[in-house]
Amino acid sequence: MIEKISPKDITVLSSTMLIPLWAKAVEYERPDAILHDKEAARMLDLIDYDFTPFAKAKASQVGCCGRARLLDEMAQRFIDEHPDAVVVQLGAGLDARYERMGRPKVTAWYDLDLPEVIEVRRMLLPESSNHYLGVSMFDESWTETVAAHGKPVLLVIEGVLMYFEEAQVQAFFQMVQRKLPGTQVVLDALFKKMVGRAQQHDALRQMGETPPEFRWGVGSADDVLKLAPGSRLIEEIGLSSICAPRYPFILRLLLKTRWGRENLDMRIMRIQL
C-alpha cells in the first residue's frame, strides 16, 4: 500500500482531476448509484485532502457521474461494433474507465495525459493490460502509435475540450482527421453560456483558488461538426437525460423549458471524423 499523497506536495493534483474523482467515489457509496467506480473510491482514500467543501456541489457531483456513464455506454457501443478496436482516452487524469468497463478485450487501450499526470496516475492506478502514454494530446506522435495497429480507432475525451480555445479544438480534430482518418470520438461539450464563467461552477469555486477557465462551448452538435469538415454525428444525448432527477430544484425546473434544455444541458455525443 502506498502512502497517502497530497496536492500540497504534488501540485499536478489539480481541481480538474480531484473533482471528478471525488464525485465518482461519493457515487460509489450510494445505494441508487448511476455509476459504479470502485477504483475511484479506492484512490480517494489514498489522497490527503479535505474534500468536504465539495459536498455543496450537488449538480456537479451527479453530473460528473452521469457524463462518465453516458460516455462509457457510447464507448461500449463502439466496441460492440468493432471488437478489434484501439481505444485512446485523452486527458485521462485519474479516470478508471478501462477498469470500470471491465477491461475490454480490444486490440489495445491507451490512457493518455501529460507526463507529470501519468506519473501520478501510475502511483494511484498502475497499468494492467492497458498502456499509458505521457504526451500532450496535441502531439502527433501518439497518433502514429495508434495508427500502427491498423484497427478501428475510438477516442474518448471527457472534461477536457472545454478548457481550450475553439481554434485549438479545431486544430486537434483536423490533426486526427489527417493522421487517423475515420476515427470516432465520444466527447462531452459544454453549453456556451458557461464559457468564461468557471468561477460560477458549483465545484470549481469550492477550491479556494482561481479555477481554470472554460474557453469552448457549443449551442448544438453543428458547432462541433463545423470544426471538422466531413465529420458526421452518430449519436447525441443531453446530460439531463440521466441526471435531472438529482439536480437542484431550480435547475430541474429550468431544464423542463426549451430554453433550459438548449442553454443549460451539456451535450454528450459520438462523432466520426
Side-chain angles (χ1 to χ4, degrees):
M1 180 176 177
I2 70 169
E3 294 184 7
K4 286 195 173 188
I5 63 176
S6 169
K8 294 179 182 178
D9 303 319
I10 302 176
T11 56
V12 73
L13 281 170
S14 65
S15 56
T16 54
M17 291 174 65
L18 293 175
I19 291 169
L21 182 69
W22 161 81
K24 293 163 188 170
V26 169
E27 190 70 12
Y28 183 69
E29 302 299 328
R30 292 181 64 105
D32 59 346
I34 61 173
L35 186 80
H36 299 275
D37 195 328
K38 182 178 181 180
E39 290 299 323
R42 181 188 63 78
M43 285 189 279
L44 198 77
D45 285 341
L46 298 176
I47 298 174
D48 183 11
Y49 185 79
D50 180 12
F51 289 93
T52 54
F54 293 154
K56 300 175 183 178
K58 302 293 186 183
S60 285
Q61 192 277 318
V62 69
C64 283
C65 297
R67 177 179 70 182
R69 175 172 162 177
L70 291 172
L71 288 169
D72 285 358
E73 290 173 350
M74 286 187 181
Q76 186 61 58
R77 284 192 283 277
F78 177 88
I79 292 170
D80 291 343
E81 296 162 7
H82 306 281
D84 60 343
V86 173
V87 181
V88 187
Q89 179 167 222
L90 299 166
L94 296 176
D95 184 72
R97 175 163 278 111
Y98 181 66
E99 290 75 15
R100 194 167 62 238
M101 291 181 63
R103 296 183 171 89
K105 305 299 183 184
V106 292
T107 296
W109 182 297
Y110 295 99
D111 289 292
L112 179 151
D113 213 315
L114 297 173
E116 58 270 27
V117 176
I118 290 297
E119 182 180 354
V120 176
R121 185 180 173 92
R122 282 198 170 107
M123 295 170 62
L124 295 169
L125 185 67
E127 293 109 317
S128 52
S129 47
N130 54 335
H131 311 280
Y132 291 174
L133 297 173
V135 66
S136 166
M137 61 185 281
F138 296 99
D139 188 324
E140 292 188 357
S141 63
W142 67 267
T143 66
E144 296 166 4
T145 300
V146 172
H149 291 283
K151 300 293 184 180
V153 177
L154 175 70
L155 306 183
V156 183
I157 313 176
E158 179 180 2
V160 174
L161 296 178
M162 63 190 70
Y163 296 108
F164 294 104
E165 300 288 351
E166 181 173 279
Q168 293 174 288
V169 177
Q170 182 176 37
F172 170 76
F173 284 155
Q174 294 182 3
M175 176 191 78
V176 174
Q177 284 183 308
R178 186 176 69 256
K179 302 292 289 187
L180 297 168
T183 287
Q184 289 191 23
V185 184
V186 295
L187 59 92
D188 60 316
L190 189 69
F191 45 92
K192 281 186 175 179
K193 288 195 175 294
M194 276 302 290
V195 173
R197 299 180 178 179
Q199 194 64 53
Q200 297 177 21
H201 188 273
D202 63 349
L204 287 174
R205 70 186 181 207
Q206 304 298 331
M207 292 296 297
E209 60 188 49
T210 302
E213 192 52 83
F214 297 135
R215 302 185 182 280
W216 181 63
V218 304
S220 71
D222 288 340
D223 291 332
V224 179
L225 300 178
K226 73 180 184 182
L227 301 181
S231 60
R232 67 181 180 92
L233 179 67
I234 298 173
E235 55 182 317
E236 178 187 14
I237 192 169
L239 183 58
S240 65
S241 65
I242 193 171
C243 296
R246 283 174 46 193
Y247 278 155
F249 178 69
I250 295 299
L251 182 55
R252 293 203 308 272
L253 286 182
L254 289 171
L255 286 168
K256 290 181 181 296
T257 69
R258 179 177 177 180
W259 181 91
R261 290 189 296 274
E262 291 179 352
N263 292 280
L264 300 175
D265 200 7
M266 174 176 277
R267 309 309 298 173
I268 311 298
M269 60 189 78
R270 175 160 62 127
I271 64 174
Q272 181 161 354
L273 294 178

